[in-house]
């Protein structure tokens, strides 16, 4: 192994002698720190330290991302810290706090070796060379920019704490999704309180999608690192690049300035969500004209300039990111005097709301214009399959719409608990965005909502079934058995294009699937959003 030591700041001085810390980069990507005691003309190697990473925030991003870094970089010590103790306890147990395919295996391979979860936030920040900040950045619910701007309170308090406890130079990495120019604000907080310590801020937004997080982290389309274009900034970019280079091909590691990296994250989410709203807008037109959205998506997706991914019509996009990040983008455009650009992106969110309302209206109008007192089976509550996450799930809006019309709901989701469902349906929207430790401990249960152990139990005696998450198991249910146990006429409302429409119609169901030619029954009952 070839080593290239380059010195950083002196750490201690003893009269004319000093101990200095040197970063050593090896050809195979191995990095370590050598502590050298200099006496006269002679330097003595005192000890060699692993690079230490600390990540603030043990959530959907912090947990999986750090687990993969630890797995791929056995020479780096990774500690994930959180102020919400139950999450840390869960990360240290056999029942991880989040469901993500493949995550258990990765955590088991490195936990206790070079991956640790701790509530001792300050200690591990103080000891780290690189601090990732992966705390929540929800939409502001009060004050200036309420309903649009990102709430950076968690980020700011994290930055102040880093400044308070740091005794050595650090690279601080923005992992959370933040408004463009946040790094400047963070830099000010850190440098005003730094006591001479050198902080380099990098933007390294995360592009993983839930449900495929491990796959995305193992094999990312790209890793984006933004930093200052100064010699120190470039050195910090290189240090982070060296971490990812353990497993990501270097041509996929893109280095930019800070503002491009911050804005690229918001832009990527806006473009992705815009595709879904575009296809959902087309789905309404398909229903009105007899076209089939799956055929239209297939036809346009064959154009290599458009591409086939992310063109599935649905009841609407959910998840903690798309809406929040687009609203944030809208706010930034407005603040920069660009109202036309702001209103362009705002439409993406508005079409998403329209799609959910349209779906509920279609259900109610099909069922003789009322669902009052009728049992409806809700299949799927998570915002997409292969996750237990319910943040901004379209299921919340659809269920609340049906409850508003006095329906009785029986909900089944393979990964979402009854407590979470009750919490989501009873809490005010502004409370849902908060981190777990700030949410009410026991929300009031809604009487018209029960949870079922499986789809069959949920559908027993129901007037209608409503599919809101595309879990694979919903494709292979015994729909004849379900039909036999339901009230007649029996309805299926498929918000994810999961079911075989022809087969279900043969069984006797009245079927509505988004963007598909309408059942004769439904044609006479236009859905008004
Ligand atoms: N969820 C995703 O798929 C995803 C993907 C890419 C980017 N992001 C972005 O990453 C960020 C984090 O998202 P998430 O889904 O992991 O959120 P999360 O709510 O799951 O996790 C955030 C965690 O940070 C903790 N926290 C808050 N303040 C803290 C502090 N001062 N010190 C230590 N811990 C603190 C909270 O207790 C919480 O457990 C957000 O900005 C989000 O937009 C999320
Ligand atoms: O063709 C599609 C694709 C997705 N969806 C819905 O869109 C939402 C978001 O899905 P997806 O993007 O797969 O999941 P997220 O975990 O929200 O990931 C998005 O948001 C993350 C947080 O910023 C980013 O890191 C990811 O790159 C970005 O894909 C879900 O409700 C999906 O059901 C559709 O309706 N139709």
């Amino acid at each position: 192994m070839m080593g290239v030591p380059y010195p950083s700041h002196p750490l201690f001085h003893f009269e004319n002698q000093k101990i200095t810390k040197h970063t050593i980069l090896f050809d195979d990507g191995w990095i370590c720190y050598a502590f050298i005691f200099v006496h006269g003309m002679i330097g003595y190697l005192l000890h060699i330290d692993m690079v230490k990473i600390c990540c603030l925030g043990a959530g959907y991003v912090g947990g999986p991302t750090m687990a993969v870094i630890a797995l791929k970089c056995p020479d780096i010590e990774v500690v994930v810290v959180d102020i919400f103790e139950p999450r840390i306890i869960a990360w240290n147990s056999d029942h991880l706090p989040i469901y993500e395919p493949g995550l258990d295996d990765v955590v088991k391979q490195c936990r206790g070796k070079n991956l640790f979860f701790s509530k001792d936030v300050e200690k591990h920040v103080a000891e780290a060379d690189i601090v990732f900040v992966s705390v929540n950045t929800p939409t502001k619910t009060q004050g200036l920019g309420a309903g649009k701007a990102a709430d950076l309170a968690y980020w700011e308090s994290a930055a102040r704490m880093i400044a308070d406890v740091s005794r050595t130079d650090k690279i601080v990495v923005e992992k959370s999704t933040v408004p463009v120019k946040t790094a400047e604000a963070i830099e000010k907080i850190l440098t005003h309180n730094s006591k001479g310590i050198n902080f380099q801020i990098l933007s390294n937004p995360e592009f993983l999608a839930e449900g495929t997080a491990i796959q995305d982290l193992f094999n990312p389309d790209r890793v984006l690192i933004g930093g200052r274009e100064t010699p120190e900034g470039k050195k910090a970019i290189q240090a982070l690049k060296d971490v990812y280079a353990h497993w990501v091909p270097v041509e996929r590691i893109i280095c930019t300035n800070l503002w491009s990296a911050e804005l690229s994250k918001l832009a990527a989410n806006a473009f992705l969500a815009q595709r879904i709203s575009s296809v959902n807008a087309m789905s309404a037109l398909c229903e009105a004209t007899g076209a089939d959205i799956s055929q239209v998506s297939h036809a346009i997706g064959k154009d290599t300039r458009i591409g086939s991914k992310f063109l599935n019509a649905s009841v609407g996009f959910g998840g903690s990111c798309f809406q929040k990040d687009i609203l944030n983008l809208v706010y930034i455009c407005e603040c920069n005097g660009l109202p036309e650009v702001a209103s362009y992106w705002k439409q993406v969110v508005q079409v998403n709301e329209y799609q959910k309302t349209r779906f509920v209206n279609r259900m109610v109008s099909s069922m003789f214009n009322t669902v009052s007192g009728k049992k409806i089976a809700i299949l799927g509550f998570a915002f997409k399959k292969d996750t237990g996450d319910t943040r901004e799930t379209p299921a919340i809006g659809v269920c609340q719409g049906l409850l508003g019309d006095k329906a009785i709901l029986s909900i089944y989701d393979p990964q979402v608990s009854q407590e979470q469902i009750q919490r989501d349906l009873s809490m005010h929207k502004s409370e849902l965005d908060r981190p777990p430790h700030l949410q009410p401990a026991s929300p009031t249960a809604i009487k018209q909502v029960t949870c079922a152990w499986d789809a069959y139990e949920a559908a027993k005696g129901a007037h209608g079934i409503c599919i809101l998450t595309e879990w694979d198991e919903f494709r292979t249910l015994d729909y004849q058995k379900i039909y036999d146990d339901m009230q007649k006429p029996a309805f299926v409302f498929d918000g994810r294009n999961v079911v075989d429409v022809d087969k279900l119609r043969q069984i006797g169901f009245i079927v509505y699937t988004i963007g598909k030619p309408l059942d004769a029954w439904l044609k006479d009952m236009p859905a008004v959003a």
Side-chain angles (χ1 to χ4, degrees), residues 53-73 76-81 91 96 98 100-104 106-107 110 114-117 130-135 173-177 204-210 212-220 222-225 240 243-244 246-248 265:
I53 287 180
C54 174
C55 175
L56 292 172
Y60 285 88
V61 170
T65 312
M66 293 302 124
V68 168
I69 290 183
L71 182 75
K72 299 291 186 181
C73 311
I76 296 179
E77 182 186 291
V78 181
V79 185
V80 191
V81 295
W91 278 110
L96 302 186
I98 61 177
E100 195 58 65
L103 177 63
D104 267 41
V106 174
V107 170
C110 35
N114 66 330
L115 174 67
F116 304 90
F117 296 92
I130 303 177
V131 180
F132 284 80
V133 184
S134 186
V135 302
V173 184
E174 287 177 349
K175 198 60 166 160
S176 305
T177 305
N204 172 222
E206 184 48 61
F207 295 100
L208 68 80
E210 288 179 30
T212 53
I214 298 300
Q215 218 175 294
D216 296 342
L217 289 164
F218 278 0
N219 190 21
R222 79 312 208 174
V223 166
L224 181 55
I225 304 174
L240 188 56
V243 172
Y244 285 108
H246 280 73
W247 79 97
V248 180
K265 173 63 194 177

Side-chain angles (χ1 to χ4, degrees), residues 33-74:
Y33 291 119
F35 289 84
I36 294 175
F37 171 53
V38 183
H39 180 65
M41 298 294 287
I42 306 172
Y44 301 89
L45 178 66
L46 293 183
H47 71 276
I48 288 194
D49 241 7
M50 285 169 103
V51 171
K52 287 189 178 151
I53 287 180
C54 174
C55 175
L56 292 172
Y60 285 88
V61 170
T65 312
M66 293 302 124
V68 168
I69 290 183
L71 182 75
K72 299 291 186 181
C73 311

